[in-house]
């Protein structure tokens, strides 16, 4: 299909992605302002929404919900069971004994001998050592002695055990009864150390040896003079059925408790659920109220930040969409390359006003010294000489700025040196006197401006010029 206008190469307007991206990048300040505005609006909305949800949840109180006695008892049972589950989970996660491999339990056993001249004092002395090791005294001493054993006292105490053997009848017949041994002023007891591995058990046993030697002086003051001798030690690794049963029972208890809690809570009404949630929150708040407050504040902040980031990205996207729509639907000439691509008449180049800040506009033709006007002037002169034009009018469909007028006047002066006469006519559509000058000269140089001149203005001007026999020498564009 042929073009409706002879001065047009094509009726289709192509989108210059390079020019579009360049224009968007130039407006980064506007984009940033738009994005920040959206971020503030959306971030504030998200913060208010999160705060509103928390405030709404705070309105629910125990007094506002009426429950029957059986319903209250069920809620209390659920809260109590929840606390037991939390405690059991903490124990299983932190207890060294619960994390050991029951099929390869590593123990280090030390055998101690106590000799005492005062035989009546011997039972009290032995019980002092057994009580110290088995009931927490040794655990406290270990924590103070070495930072390696800095764990909860209850977990450390599980790894320490002290005992005396009860001999069976056949063994007593061979060596004599236990009482006869004590009458001789000597008895024995064992200290058993459990470790994660052999090296840890040995290190703990070494520290325990030093602690018992230091504790010996205190026992002498309290229970009487005696001798404490390490008679021997042994390291063992074997399966422990008792530990295996204990671990199994704890894990089974945790599983069954969780199942029971889910069953109880699943049968709750909405009122019971509200009270259960409130009571569980109160119990947690009593234990760590400050942590709960920080968690709620952190949740509000995260929600606000999430909305702010979405708003920031949304602001960029919306500004880009609005600008793209205005770019597509605006009829103005958008670039020098677009004019060269769409029209058949010569486009001699683009000129940048030298004392503006737009010295780096893409598409401006410059000479070796960076001047755009000289390049355009030379092209206009050569084209006019080739066409035999000695007089023409530089006409624009808009009011020229003072700098633009000065630039054209400077070109007119230069052209006079080559015996060419150029007059300037601005806003030609409203200046009827300029039409007479156009007809007299018979030639015109169209003056366009990017962002001001529209395709419709060019079409109207070309129709007028061709209908009146006016030769269009070409066009010059102000960038």
């Amino acid at each position: 299909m042929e073009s409706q206008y002879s001065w047009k190469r094509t009726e289709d307007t192509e989108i210059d992605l390079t020019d579009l991206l360049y224009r968007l990048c130039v407006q980064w300040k506007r984009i940033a302002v738009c994005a920040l505005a959206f971020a503030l609006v959306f971030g504030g909305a998200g913060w208010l929404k999160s705060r509103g949800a928390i405030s709404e949840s705070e309105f629910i109180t125990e007094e506002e919900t009426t429950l029957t006695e059986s319903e209250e008892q069920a809620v209390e049972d659920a809260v109590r069971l929840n606390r037991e589950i939390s405690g059991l989970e903490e124990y299983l996660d932190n207890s060294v004994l619960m994390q050991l491999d029951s099929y390869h339990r590593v123990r280090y056993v030390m055998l101690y001998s106590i000799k005492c001249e005062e035989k009546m004092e011997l039972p009290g002395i032995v019980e002092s050592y057994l009580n110290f090791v088995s009931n927490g005294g040794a655990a406290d001493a270990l924590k103070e002695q070495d930072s390696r054993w800095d764990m909860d006292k209850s977990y450390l105490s599980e790894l320490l055990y002290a005992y005396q053997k009860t001999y069976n009848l056949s063994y007593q017949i061979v060596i004599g009864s236990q009482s006869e041994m004590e009458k001789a002023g000597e008895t024995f007891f064992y200290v058993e150390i459990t470790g994660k591995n052999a090296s840890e058990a040995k290190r703990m046993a070494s520290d325990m040896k030093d602690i018992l030697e230091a504790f010996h002086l205190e026992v002498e003051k309290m229970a009487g003079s005696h001798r404490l001798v390490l008679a021997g030690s042994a390291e063992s690794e074997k399966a422990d059925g008792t530990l295996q049963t204990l671990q199994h029972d704890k894990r089974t208890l945790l599983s069954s408790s969780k199942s029971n809690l889910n069953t109880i809570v699943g049968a709750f009404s909405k009122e019971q659920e509200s009270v259960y949630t409130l009571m569980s929150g109160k119990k947690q708040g009593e234990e760590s109220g400050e942590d709960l407050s920080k968690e709620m504040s952190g949740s509000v902040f995260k929600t606000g930040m999430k909305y702010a980031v979405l708003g920031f990205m949304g602001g960029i996207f919306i500004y880009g969409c609005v600008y793209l729509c205005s770019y597509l639907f605006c009829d103005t000439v958008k670039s020098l390359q677009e004019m060269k691509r769409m029209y058949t008449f010569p486009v001699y180049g683009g000129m940048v006003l030298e004392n503006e800040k737009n010295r780096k506009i893409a598409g401006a033709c410059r000479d070796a010294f960076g001047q755009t006007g000289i390049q355009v002037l030379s092209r206009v002169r050569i084209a006019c000489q080739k066409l035999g034009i000695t007089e023409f009018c530089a006409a624009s469909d808009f009011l020229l700025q003072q700098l633009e007028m000065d630039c054209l006047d400077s070109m007119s002066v230069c052209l006079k040196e080559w015996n060419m006469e150029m007059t300037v006519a601005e806003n030609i559509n409203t200046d009827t006197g300029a039409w007479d000058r156009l007809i007299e000269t018979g030639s015109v140089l169209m003056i366009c401006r990017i962002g001001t001149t529209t395709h419709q203005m060019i079409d109207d001007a070309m129709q007028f010029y061709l209908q009146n026999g006016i030769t269009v020498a070409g066009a010059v564009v102000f960038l």
Side-chain angles (χ1 to χ4, degrees):
M1 182 177 177
E2 295 184 358
S3 174
Q4 180 182 357
Y5 303 112
S6 60
W7 58 88
K8 278 191 173 182
R9 300 181 192 274
T10 177
E11 294 287 346
D12 299 327
T13 303
E14 296 182 7
I15 300 175
D16 189 345
L17 292 179
T18 304
D19 179 67
L20 177 60
L21 292 176
Y22 174 78
R23 288 170 178 266
L24 278 174
C25 292
V26 168
Q27 301 188 64
W28 65 269
K29 291 183 179 180
R30 293 184 180 181
I31 295 175
V33 170
C34 180
L36 288 174
F38 273 80
L40 290 174
V41 173
F42 276 75
W47 183 83
L48 291 175
K49 179 181 178 181
S50 182
R51 287 292 301 175
I54 293 176
S55 301
E56 184 178 350
S57 65
E58 291 174 350
F59 288 145
I60 302 175
T61 61
E62 239 178 310
E63 292 75 11
E64 292 176 353
T65 307
T66 304
L67 301 178
T68 64
E69 185 176 349
S70 60
E71 289 176 336
E72 287 182 0
Q73 184 62 45
V75 172
E76 291 176 0
D77 292 341
V79 172
R80 184 164 50 251
L81 185 57
N82 186 31
R83 293 174 60 191
E84 292 176 0
I85 290 173
S86 300
L88 186 55
E89 286 179 334
E90 182 180 358
Y91 174 70
L92 291 174
D93 290 340
N94 298 307
S95 173
V96 177
L97 198 63
M98 290 296 103
Q99 296 172 6
L100 293 179
D101 183 0
S102 59
Y103 294 99
H104 300 278
R105 182 175 181 178
V106 179
R107 288 180 287 192
Y108 197 91
V109 182
M110 296 183 293
L111 172 62
Y112 278 95
S113 168
I114 298 178
K115 295 180 181 180
C116 180
E117 296 180 358
E118 298 293 334
K119 302 167 182 65
M120 298 297 293
E121 298 176 351
L122 191 57
I125 293 172
V126 175
E127 291 300 325
S128 296
Y129 285 105
L130 298 179
N131 179 62
F132 176 72
V133 175
S134 299
N135 295 323
D140 289 333
L142 275 174
K143 292 180 66 175
E144 293 177 1
Q145 180 165 333
D146 197 328
S147 60
R148 288 179 297 186
W149 319 123
D150 187 16
M151 65 180 75
D152 191 272
K153 182 179 177 180
S154 61
Y155 305 139
L156 184 58
S157 297
E158 291 180 326
L159 307 178
L160 309 176
Y161 182 53
Y163 60 92
Q164 277 188 299
K165 280 190 175 180
T166 302
Y167 301 103
N168 57 29
L169 181 59
S170 60
Y171 186 79
Q172 291 181 9
I173 292 173
V174 175
I175 66 171
S177 65
Q178 178 74 14
S179 60
E180 288 178 352
M181 292 175 61
E182 292 178 355
K183 288 179 182 179
E186 183 178 8
T187 189
F188 298 89
F189 73 93
Y190 294 84
V191 177
E192 184 179 293
I193 309 292
T194 300
K196 294 180 181 179
N197 49 57
S199 60
E200 183 176 291
K202 193 171 183 178
R203 284 198 302 268
M204 189 180 293
S206 176
D207 292 343
M208 179 59 68
K209 178 177 177 294
D210 297 336
I211 290 171
L212 288 176
E213 289 176 356
F215 185 65
H216 168 257
L217 300 176
E218 296 184 17
V219 177
E220 281 193 329
K221 294 178 182 178
M222 295 184 295
S225 177
H226 64 282
R227 290 178 58 198
L228 178 68
V229 179
L230 178 62
S233 60
E235 180 183 320
S236 69
E237 180 179 345
K238 60 182 181 180
D240 191 334
T242 303
L243 177 59
Q244 183 183 10
T245 302
L246 178 62
Q247 291 176 341
H248 178 266
D249 291 344
K250 293 292 185 182
R251 295 191 179 103
T252 302
L253 177 60
L254 177 62
S255 178
S256 62
S257 297
K258 286 184 175 180
S259 178
N260 292 337
L261 180 62
N262 290 335
T263 302
I264 295 173
V265 175
F268 279 172
S269 62
K270 291 184 178 180
E271 291 78 9
Q272 285 178 300
E273 287 182 0
S274 299
V275 175
Y276 171 71
T277 303
L278 181 64
M279 292 180 67
S280 299
K282 281 185 177 180
K283 294 298 181 183
Q284 295 174 359
E286 290 172 1
E287 295 174 0
S288 56
E290 185 176 348
D291 293 340
L292 182 61
S293 176
K294 288 181 179 179
E295 183 178 350
M296 292 171 62
S297 300
S299 176
V300 173
F301 178 76
K302 288 180 180 178
T303 303
M305 285 301 297
K306 180 177 71 174
Y307 275 81
V309 172
L310 291 175
F312 188 86
M313 298 177 65
I316 296 175
F317 177 77
I318 291 174
Y319 186 91
C321 290
V322 171
Y323 187 82
L324 177 62
C325 291
S326 65
Y327 185 88
L328 293 176
F329 295 108
C330 183
D331 190 45
T332 57
V333 176
K334 299 174 179 65
S335 67
L336 184 65
Q337 290 74 17
E338 180 183 346
M339 286 195 65
K340 292 179 178 180
R341 186 172 55 248
M342 288 191 65
Y343 298 105
T344 58
F345 54 77
V347 179
Y348 299 116
M351 293 189 296
V352 180
L353 302 180
E354 297 302 331
N355 56 349
E356 288 188 340
K357 297 180 180 180
N358 304 328
R359 297 180 61 87
K360 295 184 179 181
I361 291 180
C365 298
R366 300 174 184 271
D367 62 5
F369 301 98
Q371 302 296 318
T372 58
I374 297 176
Q375 286 279 4
V376 173
L377 176 63
S378 299
R379 292 182 178 184
V380 170
R381 176 179 64 83
I382 294 172
C384 289
Q385 288 177 346
K386 186 176 180 180
L387 295 173
I389 299 174
T390 58
E391 185 179 0
F392 62 90
C393 179
S396 70
D397 289 333
F398 52 88
L399 290 174
L400 294 171
Q401 299 176 4
Q402 184 60 45
L403 293 173
E404 294 169 339
M405 182 63 75
D406 294 341
C407 180
L408 294 176
D409 290 341
S410 176
M411 289 179 62
S412 177
V413 172
C414 293
L415 288 171
K416 282 184 178 180
E417 298 177 1
W418 293 302
N419 299 320
M420 295 182 185
E421 184 73 24
M422 184 184 82
T423 58
V424 179
E426 59 178 339
N427 200 14
I428 196 170
N429 290 330
T430 60
D431 188 358
T432 55
W435 296 352
D436 297 333
R437 292 199 301 273
L438 278 174
I439 295 173
E440 290 176 4
T441 57
S443 300
V444 64
L445 177 68
M446 293 200 315
I447 306 299
C448 303
R449 183 197 293 158
I450 298 299
T452 301
T453 302
T454 65
H455 296 289
Q456 186 62 45
M457 290 167 63
I458 295 176
D459 293 340
D460 293 342
M462 288 297 297
Q463 283 182 331
F464 174 77
Y465 298 147
L466 295 181
Q467 287 173 359
N468 291 277
I470 300 173
T471 303
V472 178
V476 171
V477 182
F478 283 108
L479 301 176

